[in-house]
Amino acid sequence: MPSAIEQIVDAYVRLKNRRGLDELMMHRQRLAVDLKSRSGYDFSLPIGQIDEEIAIIEAGLSRLKSDKSTI
């Protein structure tokens, strides 16, 4: 079963909503920067999850870009 982020990215790709994907990417990148700048607690697990989500979003952007180039 696909994760929530995979389902969201798939929906944005099907709708050709690049803006939504860009906003999703910027949000995850801000979260990653914020967590990486913190200390006093081991944030490696949430940082790893966010990095995985960023990779999924990047793949969605690539799919959207390749769909656009084939049209």
Side-chain angles (χ1 to χ4, degrees):
M1 180 171 178
S3 69
I5 193 72
E6 290 171 323
Q7 291 176 353
I8 292 167
V9 169
D10 286 342
Y12 281 146
V13 170
R14 270 187 277 118
L15 295 171
K16 299 182 182 3
N17 186 348
R18 177 167 181 104
R19 184 177 191 184
L21 285 172
D22 286 338
E23 289 174 2
L24 199 59
M25 175 68 83
M26 287 188 295
H27 178 257
R28 293 305 190 278
Q29 289 172 334
R30 283 192 304 267
L31 284 173
V33 168
D34 183 46
L35 287 175
K36 289 174 183 176
S37 70
R38 293 179 181 254
S39 61
Y41 181 77
D42 181 13
F43 290 103
S44 60
L45 188 61
I47 289 170
Q49 180 67 37
I50 291 170
D51 287 342
E52 286 176 26
E53 291 177 0
I54 288 171
I56 292 167
I57 297 166
E58 287 174 342
L61 286 166
S62 294
R63 285 177 24 214
L64 194 61
K65 187 176 182 180
S66 68
D67 286 350
K68 188 175 183 180
S69 65
T70 59
I71 295 177

